């Protein structure tokens, strides 16, 4: 039980650590006018794009990408003080880990029946089966159906591995023969849940500015256990769920961009996070289109020709 709890906490914190330092080094190239929490979500978005590029476009195996990311991790560790100073010793990180523990303890107490036989087991089976295939085969082989016939017998499996498959690939990094694939799947969902918490805290801090900062933390923490978040979690809409942290960040940057129309850097950051969002869950882009439409109407008199061009790019 203890090792499973440790595994869940370790995986979630590694994702946060890695995402933070991707933004940290990206900040060396272009100064990011975003909070430390948003830098974590920004790093998560870039990490998604990097994995998409290596796996789908360059035909790397998951194990090869994994080794590459581990090598880069050692360089990140050289700057660990920055992470400790800006995030590790914070209330946000405490609540981040508390959320992980709250979600994991029932799973450990009640065992596999708690996290296997729940929610939409059709979708969870689809995501897991495709993640296993992604974990073991290059994408060029998958496109040519060069995987065991057992998986080919799944209904619409060919569609599953080709239609918005990035969330499945992210999940495949947790597939390990020494750990229950069902528990790994649950840990992945818990990790995304914690990222949603951080993205929501950052959004409220940026755009609502409560005098008491604890209000932001309480509202964000309560939301995680609210109906709307748990509903998406329980129906196993994994692509949708994995896109929510990036969606919240993208909306935040979109608002910020319209408040600073002449800052070209905002358009560049917006293009990165919106690209990541589209790769994870393209259907959710309609929300950005609608928000952009209303923001354009509201700021029409301020917009110049170059602003329209930047937004289209």
């Amino acid at each position: 039980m203890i090792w499973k709890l440790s595994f869940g906490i370790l995986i979630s914190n590694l994702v946060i650590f890695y995402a933070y330092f991707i933004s940290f080094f990206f900040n060396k190239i272009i100064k990011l006018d975003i909070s430390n929490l948003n830098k974590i979500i920004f790093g998560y978005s870039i990490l998604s794009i990097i994995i998409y590029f290596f796996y789908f476009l360059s035909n790397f195996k998951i194990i090869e990408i994994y080794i590459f990311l581990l090598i880069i991790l050692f360089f990140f560790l050289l700057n660990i003080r920055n992470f400790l100073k800006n995030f590790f010793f914070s209330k946000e990180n405490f609540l981040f880990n508390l959320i992980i523990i709250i979600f994991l303890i029932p799973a450990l107490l009640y065992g596999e029946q708690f996290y296997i036989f729940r929610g939409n087991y059709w979708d969870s089976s689809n995501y897991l089966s495709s993640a296993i295939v992604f974990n073991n085969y290059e994408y060029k082989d998958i496109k040519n159906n060069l995987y065991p016939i057992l998986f080919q017998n799944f209904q619409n499996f060919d569609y599953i591995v080709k239609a918005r498959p990035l969330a499945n690939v992210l999940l495949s990094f947790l597939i390990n023969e020494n750990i229950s694939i069902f528990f790994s799947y649950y840990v992945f969902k818990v990790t995304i849940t914690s990222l949603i918490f951080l993205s929501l805290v950052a959004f409220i801090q940026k755009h609502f500015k409560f005098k008491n900062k604890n209000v932001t933390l309480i509202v964000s923490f309560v939301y995680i256990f609210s109906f709307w978040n748990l509903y998406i979690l329980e129906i196993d809409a994994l692509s949708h769920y994995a896109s929510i942290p990036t969606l919240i960040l993208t909306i935040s940057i979109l608002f910020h961009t319209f408040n600073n129309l002449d800052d070209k850097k905002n358009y560049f950051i917006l293009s990165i996070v919106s690209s990541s969002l589209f790769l994870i869950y393209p259907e959710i882009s309609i929300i950005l289109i609608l928000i952009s439409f209303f923001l354009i109407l509201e700021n029409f008199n301020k917009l110049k020709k170059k602003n329209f061009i930047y937004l289209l790019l």
Side-chain angles (χ1 to χ4, degrees):
M1 177 176 171
I2 297 298
W3 79 263
K4 283 189 174 181
L5 180 63
S6 301
F7 172 75
I9 294 173
L10 176 64
I11 291 298
S12 299
N13 279 273
L14 273 176
V15 171
I16 294 299
F17 181 80
Y18 213 99
Y20 178 86
F21 275 107
I22 287 176
S23 286
F24 175 79
F25 283 99
F26 196 90
N27 193 51
K28 300 283 187 181
I29 303 172
I30 176 171
K31 296 296 180 181
L32 300 172
D33 187 21
I34 54 179
S35 67
N36 286 323
L37 294 183
N38 271 334
K39 285 178 182 177
I40 291 173
I41 310 303
F42 183 71
Y44 165 71
S45 302
I46 295 179
L47 181 61
S48 300
I49 294 174
I50 291 172
I51 291 174
Y52 184 91
F53 172 80
F54 277 114
Y55 187 77
F56 292 104
L57 303 182
S58 301
N59 281 306
F60 278 69
K61 293 181 178 179
I62 292 298
I63 185 63
E64 293 171 341
I65 302 173
Y66 190 76
I67 292 171
F68 169 75
L69 294 177
L70 279 178
I71 293 172
I72 299 299
L73 179 63
F74 288 110
F75 291 98
F76 290 166
L77 288 171
L78 297 176
N79 294 276
I80 195 171
R81 284 187 179 181
N82 190 282
F83 176 77
L84 296 176
K85 176 183 177 182
N86 292 323
F87 179 72
F88 188 78
F89 298 109
S90 67
K91 293 179 181 178
E92 290 85 355
N93 188 38
F94 171 77
L95 291 175
F96 169 85
N97 283 282
L98 181 60
I99 289 170
I100 297 168
I101 293 170
I102 291 173
F103 274 97
L104 286 179
I105 284 180
L108 300 177
L109 289 177
Y110 294 104
E112 290 189 335
Q113 291 198 27
F114 179 83
Y115 50 83
I116 296 178
F117 302 106
R118 64 186 297 118
N120 182 1
Y121 58 85
W122 291 107
D123 276 11
S124 62
S125 296
N126 287 335
Y127 281 114
L128 266 176
S129 57
S130 58
I132 292 170
V133 171
F134 286 134
N135 184 264
N136 290 280
Y137 296 91
E138 296 177 24
Y139 191 57
K140 64 180 180 181
D141 294 331
I142 295 173
K143 286 192 296 184
N144 294 319
N145 297 327
L146 299 178
Y147 48 83
I149 193 170
L150 169 67
F151 294 99
Q152 295 179 30
N153 290 331
F154 275 77
Q155 187 177 13
N156 297 323
F157 191 77
D158 187 58
Y159 172 80
I160 293 168
V161 296
K162 294 177 183 177
R164 49 175 166 79
L166 183 53
N168 317 41
V169 172
L170 296 177
L171 171 61
S172 72
F173 279 85
L174 298 188
I175 300 298
N176 187 294
E177 62 182 14
N178 298 314
I179 301 171
S180 165
I181 58 172
F182 301 104
F183 184 70
S184 295
Y185 180 78
Y186 187 72
V187 167
F188 182 78
K189 292 200 297 182
V190 171
T191 301
I192 298 300
T193 301
S194 302
L195 285 170
I196 292 172
F197 167 73
L198 294 181
S199 63
L200 193 57
V201 171
F203 183 87
I204 295 174
Q205 286 178 345
K206 174 70 177 178
H207 301 285
F208 290 89
K209 301 183 185 299
F210 291 112
K211 291 183 179 180
N212 188 341
K213 293 183 179 180
N214 290 330
V215 174
T216 299
L217 298 176
I218 293 170
V219 171
S220 303
F221 189 82
V222 169
Y223 171 79
I224 292 301
F225 300 95
S226 69
F227 167 79
W228 292 109
N229 184 66
L230 292 179
Y231 176 76
I232 302 173
L233 174 72
E234 292 293 352
I235 65 172
D236 288 295
L238 199 60
S239 292
H240 183 174
Y241 204 54
S243 72
I244 291 177
T246 302
L247 173 65
I248 295 173
L249 173 60
T250 307
I251 293 173
S252 179
I253 294 175
L254 191 60
F255 284 140
H256 182 69
T257 300
F258 275 89
N259 289 328
N260 302 271
L261 289 167
D262 293 327
D263 190 345
K264 296 180 181 179
K265 186 166 51 180
N266 292 330
Y267 299 99
F268 180 65
I269 297 173
L270 182 62
S271 67
I272 292 176
V273 292
S274 58
S275 297
S276 174
L277 183 65
F278 185 82
L279 291 175
I280 299 172
Y281 191 57
E283 292 92 329
I284 211 166
S285 300
I286 187 64
I287 296 177
L288 290 184
I289 294 172
L290 289 173
I291 293 175
S292 299
F293 176 74
F294 287 113
L295 286 174
I296 288 172
L297 288 180
E298 183 183 359
N299 298 274
F300 190 79
N301 294 329
K302 301 179 185 177
L303 291 169
K304 303 173 185 176
K305 183 178 179 181
K306 65 178 182 179
N307 298 134
F308 280 106
I309 295 173
Y310 292 150
L311 285 170
L312 289 174
L313 293 176

